[in-house]
Amino acid sequence: MIVEDSAVVRRLLAHIVSGDPRLVLAAAVDSAEEALRELPRVKPDVISMDIRLPGMDGLEATRRIMAEQPTPIVVIADSVRDSTFGISMNALKAGALSVVEKPVGIETGGHEQIAETIRTQLYIMSQVPVIRQRGNLAARPRAPHPEPSQRPPQQPAVLAIA
């Protein structure tokens, strides 16, 4: 599913998706609200999400999708460098699995490389199992850590890093 408010970019993304035999375009919508309405009916394997959308933005849509009907999301951003670094980090924090650069047009330099990156990311992320995200983990109250003098002197028998 493509979520993009610009009709030109939406058609360009549809063209990019159609260029990969591993991908089938399930739907292309122009707002986050429409994506949320269509999601239960379409049940896409992956969503291409724009960040700057009229009404509900792509970050809030990503949060809601991950809370209500978890689906892998690839954010397609204007630029993934420098000034939009914060947007990229916020997209990942909201639940997106990947952030890639938005294509500008077929005649621009590097178009095929960007198109191939988008196709590859959509395909790879469509294979990733995702789980429901409930609320903002960072905002949840955490259990207080005991003071060093209150900690048991015993060291753990097993240490695991995940």
Side-chain angles (χ1 to χ4, degrees):
M1 174 187 276
I2 295 171
V3 184
E4 170 62 57
D5 62 321
S6 164
V8 172
V9 176
R10 197 169 52 248
R11 281 193 297 269
L12 181 56
L13 288 171
H15 174 74
I16 289 170
V17 167
S18 69
D20 191 325
R22 303 171 297 179
L23 302 172
V24 174
L25 183 59
V29 298
D30 64 0
S31 70
E33 293 83 1
E34 189 176 356
L36 291 169
R37 282 191 303 271
E38 290 294 308
L39 196 59
R41 182 183 70 76
V42 175
K43 295 180 174 59
D45 293 326
V46 66
I47 298 170
S48 161
M49 178 73 69
D50 185 17
I51 290 292
R52 293 186 179 99
L53 295 166
M56 182 188 310
D57 69 12
L59 294 176
E60 180 59 26
T62 297
R63 284 186 206 95
R64 291 200 35 201
I65 289 167
M66 295 310 289
E68 296 168 14
Q69 189 171 343
T71 306
I73 296 173
V74 175
V75 168
I76 309 289
D78 289 330
S79 173
V80 293
R81 297 179 196 92
D82 304 331
S83 64
T84 57
F85 180 73
I87 292 172
S88 296
M89 293 307 296
N90 287 334
L92 296 172
K93 195 161 90 173
L97 299 182
S98 177
V99 179
V100 296
E101 192 169 354
K102 187 180 284 190
V104 198
I106 294 173
E107 292 82 27
T108 59
H111 166 74
E112 193 49 46
Q113 182 180 1
I114 291 171
E116 187 56 33
T117 299
I118 291 170
R119 287 190 286 261
T120 301
Q121 286 297 306
L122 289 173
Y123 176 72
I124 290 171
M125 296 309 160
S126 72
Q127 307 301 306
V128 175
V130 292
I131 59 170
R132 187 177 305 265
Q133 219 180 45
R134 296 191 185 268
N136 183 355
L137 297 177
R140 290 185 183 172
R142 295 180 179 173
H145 292 286
E147 293 297 319
S149 62
Q150 297 173 339
R151 290 184 186 152
Q154 207 171 15
Q155 293 297 318
V158 176
L159 175 64
I161 299 175

